[in-house]
């Protein structure tokens, strides 16, 4: 039984897909619009799907898991080390396949919708705290308060 690995580089409008049936060899490369992504994976046999870990990758991972695929989210900073040439969607998909072969790169667990919402809430709170603590420490422009209070 052949093990198929599919790497997907997610972008705003077009996603790059690279299919590998043997390590180090790419059998198929294709650019797909976002609307074509799920129908493409519905036609594929259950396989390992590689995505760069980001907010939208968790959504796609949940969708692909429902289709019976095994999804691995790889940290972006680890994948970027495997990019060999200029950064394009095609080289990013190839870098995902290369990073998957590295045993030292550990995948990120797929988050549920509730976990993502909680993470967004924590990020919002930490941003709010950072801006709140910046104000008294002099990050505001200098104002001559004596001159400002005079009529």
């Amino acid at each position: 039984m052949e093990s198929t690995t599919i790497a997907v580089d997610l972008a705003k409008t077009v996603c790059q897909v690279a299919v590998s049936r043997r390590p180090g060899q790419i059998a198929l490369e294709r650019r797909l619009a976002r609307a074509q992504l799920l129908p493409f994976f519905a036609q594929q046999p259950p396989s390992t799907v590689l995505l760069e870990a980001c907010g939208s990758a968790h959504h796609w991972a949940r969708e692909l898991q429902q289709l019976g695929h095994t999804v691995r989210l790889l940290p972006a900073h680890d994948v970027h080390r495997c990019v060999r040439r200029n950064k394009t969607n095609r080289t990013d998909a190839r870098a995902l396949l290369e990073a998957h072969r590295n045993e030292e790169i550990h995948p990120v667990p797929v988050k549920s919708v509730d976990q993502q919402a909680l993470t967004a809430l924590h990020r919002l709170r930490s941003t709010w705290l950072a801006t709140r603590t910046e104000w008294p420490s002099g990050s505001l422009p200098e104002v001559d308060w004596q001159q400002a209070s005079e009529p």
Side-chain angles (χ1 to χ4, degrees):
M1 178 88 186
E2 284 188 359
S3 173
T4 303
T5 305
I6 304 173
V8 182
D9 181 55
L10 299 171
K12 291 180 184 175
T13 56
V14 179
C15 301
Q16 183 74 27
V17 177
V19 179
S20 174
R21 291 188 172 68
R22 282 190 235 130
Q25 294 183 347
I26 296 175
L28 171 74
E29 284 187 305
R30 188 175 289 167
R31 287 175 55 124
L32 299 172
R34 282 187 171 241
Q36 297 171 327
L37 201 57
L38 283 179
F40 172 79
F41 278 103
Q43 295 173 355
Q44 301 298 318
S47 54
T48 302
V49 180
L50 308 173
L51 300 168
E52 254 183 282
C54 66
S56 66
H58 292 281
H59 163 74
W60 287 107
R62 290 189 297 268
E63 294 291 324
L64 295 173
Q65 284 175 339
Q66 289 178 353
L67 295 174
H69 297 286
T70 303
V71 179
R72 291 191 62 183
L73 300 179
L74 301 177
H77 64 274
D78 289 331
V79 173
H80 286 295
R81 284 189 266 154
C82 299
V83 175
R84 293 192 179 168
R85 289 183 211 94
N86 297 333
K87 184 179 173 2
T88 62
N89 292 345
R90 184 177 183 189
T91 57
D92 282 354
R94 288 175 176 241
L96 279 165
L97 289 170
E98 189 67 32
H100 176 63
R101 292 173 44 193
N102 188 343
E103 295 175 359
E104 295 176 3
I105 297 176
H106 301 289
V108 175
V110 178
K111 293 181 182 177
S112 68
V113 175
D114 293 336
Q115 288 172 324
Q116 275 191 287
L118 188 60
T119 301
L121 186 64
H122 284 303
R123 195 168 289 141
L124 180 68
R125 183 179 184 278
S126 66
T127 304
W128 176 75
L129 282 175
T131 56
R132 193 181 92 182
T133 55
E134 280 178 4
W135 289 352
S137 65
S139 65
L140 289 176
E142 282 295 316
V143 177
D144 186 3
W145 293 107
Q146 289 179 339
Q147 205 173 30
S149 63
E150 292 177 3

